[in-house]
Amino acid sequence: QSALTQPPSASGSPGQSVTISCTGTSGDVGNYNHVAWYQHHPGKAPKLLIYAVTVRPSGVPDRFSGSRSGNTASLTVSGLQAEDEADYFCSSYAGSNTPYVFGTGTKVTV
Amino acid sequence: EVQLVESGGGLVEPGGSLRLSCEASGLTVNDAWMTWVRQAPGKGQEWVGRIKSKTDGGTAEYAAPVKGRFTIGRDDSKNTVYLQMNSLQTDDTAVYYCTAERATQIFYWGQGTLVTVSS
């Protein structure tokens, strides 16, 4: 299974929005509703932002939203704040042989 | 609140062994599917393997690059999961994360522990 493709970087000013794409295949992103997004501040534990393509866990601000079109999932961060500056990566279920594949990661700069 | 704390990383020579530990709080490891994920320098995350919950059989599964060399185990009395790594290669150099699944997604991550395989 190949990694999911993300842009290496994205940026926006405080208050603006940024959207990050995560492109897979019909064998992962396009086939399962098990797509997740994580925020990772270096040295800390990655934090789940979105699961099941669009669902926010309790405690995650509604500034974070997920969507999918075909084999590409997207994460939108609205109303950018300084603390949103971090690495973001996606993940998808990919079947029983290799259950999870991950994105290449996107560094968001605010 | 779920917390996963890894330990045991370090520098090891090629061909050597290392055992990583993951102590959990806020969840019971024998009720969860516990997964190890690694991230090599400059690369994305890679699924390493997992151990199913006791009720789902408690068996372990491994990624092809580590099958036969790595073993995942669990000590229910310590609420801890282990990753025994043998015959380590330079390609195994990575930060290793302990994670917990829920509903076919990885919900919880530890901070990771660095394993460096070098002579």
Side-chain angles (χ1 to χ4, degrees):
Chain A
Q1 290 285 354
S2 299
L4 308 176
T5 302
Q6 297 180 232
S9 63
S11 63
S13 300
Q16 290 186 331
S17 295
V18 65
T19 296
I20 304 166
S21 61
C22 167
T23 301
T25 69
S26 58
D28 39 61
V29 173
N31 193 39
Y32 299 102
N33 287 330
H34 305 302
V35 177
W37 288 93
Y38 305 91
Q39 179 190 62
H40 188 199
H41 288 103
K44 295 194 171 183
K47 174 187 175 183
L48 178 67
L49 294 175
I50 298 287
Y51 68 96
V53 183
T54 62
V55 181
R56 274 189 314 277
S58 172
V60 173
D62 60 6
R63 303 187 294 105
F64 296 91
S65 62
S67 62
R68 179 181 57 189
S69 177
N71 298 335
T72 298
S74 298
L75 173 73
T76 297
V77 186
S78 306
L80 275 170
Q81 299 180 3
E83 59 261 35
D84 298 333
E85 188 160 295
D87 296 319
Y88 293 80
F89 63 93
C90 59
S91 171
S92 175
Y93 182 74
S96 56
N97 284 340
T98 304
Y100 297 103
V101 290
F102 297 91
T104 48
T106 299
K107 182 172 179 58
V108 169
T109 303
V110 180
Chain B
E1 182 192 3
V2 173
Q3 284 200 316
L4 304 171
V5 180
E6 304 94 337
S7 60
L11 175 64
V12 61
E13 292 186 347
S17 297
L18 212 55
R19 188 176 83 155
L20 306 183
S21 299
C22 169
E23 185 172 357
S25 58
L27 67 78
T28 303
V29 297
N30 69 1
D31 285 341
W33 290 43
M34 301 298 296
T35 292
W36 288 92
V37 174
R38 68 184 180 183
Q39 183 174 22
K43 296 191 174 182
Q45 286 77 7
E46 177 188 23
W47 179 78
V48 172
R50 67 182 175 186
I51 185 165
K52 298 178 183 178
S53 65
K54 212 167 194 175
T55 53
D56 289 319
T59 55
E61 304 170 329
Y62 303 94
V66 308
K67 198 169 186 179
R69 300 187 297 124
F70 289 13
T71 304
I72 299 173
R74 188 172 51 212
D75 184 335
D76 295 343
S77 68
K78 295 181 179 179
N79 209 32
T80 296
V81 177
Y82 301 100
L83 178 65
Q84 176 67 44
M85 304 185 293
N86 298 331
S87 303
L88 282 162
Q89 306 163 357
T90 54
D91 284 352
D92 295 319
T93 293
V95 175
Y96 284 74
Y97 295 94
C98 173
T99 76
E101 299 181 35
R102 222 179 78 187
T104 320
Q105 307 264 227
I106 292 176
F107 262 61
Y108 308 107
W109 296 69
Q111 286 186 270
T113 186
L114 176 63
V115 172
T116 303
V117 184
S118 174
S119 54

Short mmCIF file of all heavy atoms in Angstrom, two decimals, chain B residues 92-114:
data_model
loop_
_atom_site.label_atom_id
_atom_site.label_comp_id
_atom_site.label_asym_id
_atom_site.label_seq_id
_atom_site.Cartn_x
_atom_site.Cartn_y
_atom_site.Cartn_z
N ASP B 92 14.80 0.19 10.25
CA ASP B 92 13.84 0.22 11.37
C ASP B 92 13.99 1.48 12.21
O ASP B 92 13.21 1.69 13.15
CB ASP B 92 14.04 -1.01 12.26
CG ASP B 92 13.73 -2.31 11.54
OD1 ASP B 92 12.72 -2.36 10.80
OD2 ASP B 92 14.49 -3.29 11.73
N THR B 93 14.97 2.31 11.90
CA THR B 93 15.14 3.58 12.61
C THR B 93 13.91 4.44 12.42
O THR B 93 13.51 4.73 11.29
CB THR B 93 16.38 4.32 12.10
OG1 THR B 93 17.55 3.58 12.44
CG2 THR B 93 16.46 5.72 12.71
N ALA B 94 13.28 4.82 13.53
CA ALA B 94 12.02 5.57 13.46
C ALA B 94 11.58 5.95 14.87
O ALA B 94 12.10 5.43 15.86
CB ALA B 94 10.93 4.73 12.81
N VAL B 95 10.61 6.86 14.92
CA VAL B 95 9.86 7.08 16.15
C VAL B 95 8.71 6.07 16.14
O VAL B 95 7.98 5.97 15.16
CB VAL B 95 9.31 8.51 16.24
CG1 VAL B 95 8.44 8.67 17.48
CG2 VAL B 95 10.46 9.52 16.25
N TYR B 96 8.60 5.32 17.22
CA TYR B 96 7.56 4.30 17.33
C TYR B 96 6.46 4.80 18.25
O TYR B 96 6.72 5.23 19.38
CB TYR B 96 8.16 3.00 17.88
CG TYR B 96 8.95 2.26 16.83
CD1 TYR B 96 10.20 2.70 16.43
CD2 TYR B 96 8.43 1.12 16.21
CE1 TYR B 96 10.92 2.04 15.44
CE2 TYR B 96 9.14 0.45 15.22
CZ TYR B 96 10.38 0.93 14.84
OH TYR B 96 11.09 0.28 13.86
N TYR B 97 5.24 4.77 17.74
CA TYR B 97 4.08 5.23 18.47
C TYR B 97 3.19 4.05 18.87
O TYR B 97 2.90 3.17 18.04
CB TYR B 97 3.23 6.18 17.62
CG TYR B 97 3.90 7.48 17.25
CD1 TYR B 97 4.59 7.62 16.05
CD2 TYR B 97 3.82 8.59 18.10
CE1 TYR B 97 5.18 8.82 15.70
CE2 TYR B 97 4.41 9.80 17.76
CZ TYR B 97 5.09 9.90 16.56
OH TYR B 97 5.68 11.09 16.23
N CYS B 98 2.73 4.09 20.08
CA CYS B 98 1.70 3.16 20.54
C CYS B 98 0.36 3.86 20.32
O CYS B 98 0.21 5.04 20.63
CB CYS B 98 1.93 2.87 22.03
SG CYS B 98 0.63 1.91 22.82
N THR B 99 -0.60 3.12 19.77
CA THR B 99 -1.90 3.72 19.51
C THR B 99 -3.01 2.74 19.90
O THR B 99 -2.77 1.54 20.06
CB THR B 99 -2.08 4.09 18.02
OG1 THR B 99 -2.34 2.90 17.26
CG2 THR B 99 -0.83 4.78 17.47
N ALA B 100 -4.21 3.27 20.02
CA ALA B 100 -5.38 2.45 20.33
C ALA B 100 -6.46 2.73 19.30
O ALA B 100 -6.73 3.89 18.97
CB ALA B 100 -5.88 2.74 21.74
N GLU B 101 -7.06 1.64 18.82
CA GLU B 101 -8.10 1.77 17.80
C GLU B 101 -9.48 1.81 18.43
O GLU B 101 -9.69 1.33 19.54
CB GLU B 101 -8.05 0.57 16.85
CG GLU B 101 -6.76 0.40 16.09
CD GLU B 101 -6.82 -0.80 15.16
OE1 GLU B 101 -7.89 -1.10 14.59
OE2 GLU B 101 -5.78 -1.46 15.01
N ARG B 102 -10.39 2.38 17.65
CA ARG B 102 -11.81 2.33 18.00
C ARG B 102 -12.58 2.47 16.70
O ARG B 102 -12.26 3.35 15.91
CB ARG B 102 -12.18 3.46 18.95
CG ARG B 102 -13.11 3.08 20.09
CD ARG B 102 -13.39 4.25 20.98
NE ARG B 102 -14.38 5.15 20.37
CZ ARG B 102 -14.71 6.32 20.90
NH1 ARG B 102 -14.10 6.75 21.98
NH2 ARG B 102 -15.61 7.09 20.31
N ALA B 103 -13.55 1.62 16.47
CA ALA B 103 -14.40 1.73 15.27
C ALA B 103 -13.56 1.82 14.00
O ALA B 103 -13.82 2.65 13.13
CB ALA B 103 -15.31 2.95 15.39
N THR B 104 -12.56 0.96 13.89
CA THR B 104 -11.71 0.88 12.70
C THR B 104 -11.04 2.21 12.38
O THR B 104 -10.91 2.63 11.23
CB THR B 104 -12.51 0.37 11.47
OG1 THR B 104 -13.39 -0.66 11.87
CG2 THR B 104 -11.56 -0.22 10.43
N GLN B 105 -10.63 2.91 13.43
CA GLN B 105 -9.84 4.12 13.28
C GLN B 105 -8.85 4.12 14.46
O GLN B 105 -9.13 3.56 15.50
CB GLN B 105 -10.68 5.39 13.38
CG GLN B 105 -11.87 5.43 12.45
CD GLN B 105 -11.59 6.17 11.17
OE1 GLN B 105 -12.39 7.01 10.75
NE2 GLN B 105 -10.50 5.91 10.51
N ILE B 106 -7.73 4.80 14.25
CA ILE B 106 -6.80 5.01 15.36
C ILE B 106 -7.26 6.26 16.09
O ILE B 106 -7.26 7.35 15.52
CB ILE B 106 -5.36 5.13 14.86
CG1 ILE B 106 -4.90 3.77 14.31
CG2 ILE B 106 -4.46 5.59 15.99
CD1 ILE B 106 -3.52 3.79 13.69
N PHE B 107 -7.70 6.08 17.35
CA PHE B 107 -8.23 7.20 18.11
C PHE B 107 -7.18 7.86 19.00
O PHE B 107 -7.21 9.07 19.20
CB PHE B 107 -9.40 6.73 18.99
CG PHE B 107 -10.75 6.99 18.39
CD1 PHE B 107 -11.10 6.42 17.17
CD2 PHE B 107 -11.66 7.82 19.01
CE1 PHE B 107 -12.33 6.67 16.60
CE2 PHE B 107 -12.90 8.08 18.45
CZ PHE B 107 -13.24 7.50 17.25
N TYR B 108 -6.31 7.05 19.59
CA TYR B 108 -5.40 7.58 20.60
C TYR B 108 -3.96 7.24 20.25
O TYR B 108 -3.68 6.15 19.78
CB TYR B 108 -5.74 7.00 21.98
CG TYR B 108 -7.20 7.15 22.35
CD1 TYR B 108 -8.05 6.05 22.34
CD2 TYR B 108 -7.72 8.39 22.72
CE1 TYR B 108 -9.39 6.18 22.66
CE2 TYR B 108 -9.06 8.52 23.05
CZ TYR B 108 -9.89 7.43 23.01
OH TYR B 108 -11.21 7.56 23.34
N TRP B 109 -3.08 8.20 20.51
CA TRP B 109 -1.65 8.05 20.23
C TRP B 109 -0.84 8.38 21.46
O TRP B 109 -1.22 9.24 22.26
CB TRP B 109 -1.21 9.02 19.13
CG TRP B 109 -1.82 8.81 17.80
CD1 TRP B 109 -3.13 9.01 17.43
CD2 TRP B 109 -1.14 8.39 16.60
NE1 TRP B 109 -3.30 8.73 16.09
CE2 TRP B 109 -2.09 8.35 15.56
CE3 TRP B 109 0.18 8.04 16.32
CZ2 TRP B 109 -1.76 7.98 14.25
CZ3 TRP B 109 0.52 7.67 15.02
CH2 TRP B 109 -0.45 7.64 14.00
N GLY B 110 0.30 7.73 21.60
CA GLY B 110 1.29 8.16 22.57
C GLY B 110 2.21 9.19 21.95
O GLY B 110 2.06 9.54 20.77
N GLN B 111 3.18 9.66 22.72
CA GLN B 111 4.12 10.67 22.23
C GLN B 111 5.23 10.07 21.38
O GLN B 111 5.92 10.79 20.66
CB GLN B 111 4.76 11.41 23.41
CG GLN B 111 3.84 12.39 24.09
CD GLN B 111 4.58 13.18 25.15
OE1 GLN B 111 4.64 12.78 26.31
NE2 GLN B 111 5.13 14.31 24.76
N GLY B 112 5.39 8.77 21.48
CA GLY B 112 6.40 8.11 20.66
C GLY B 112 7.72 7.94 21.39
O GLY B 112 8.05 8.68 22.32
N THR B 113 8.48 6.95 20.93
CA THR B 113 9.82 6.72 21.46
C THR B 113 10.75 6.45 20.28
O THR B 113 10.38 5.72 19.35
CB THR B 113 9.82 5.56 22.49
OG1 THR B 113 11.11 5.44 23.09
CG2 THR B 113 9.45 4.23 21.85
N LEU B 114 11.93 7.05 20.31
CA LEU B 114 12.85 6.98 19.17
C LEU B 114 13.72 5.73 19.25
O LEU B 114 14.35 5.46 20.27
CB LEU B 114 13.73 8.22 19.14
CG LEU B 114 14.81 8.27 18.06
CD1 LEU B 114 14.19 8.24 16.66
CD2 LEU B 114 15.69 9.51 18.24
#
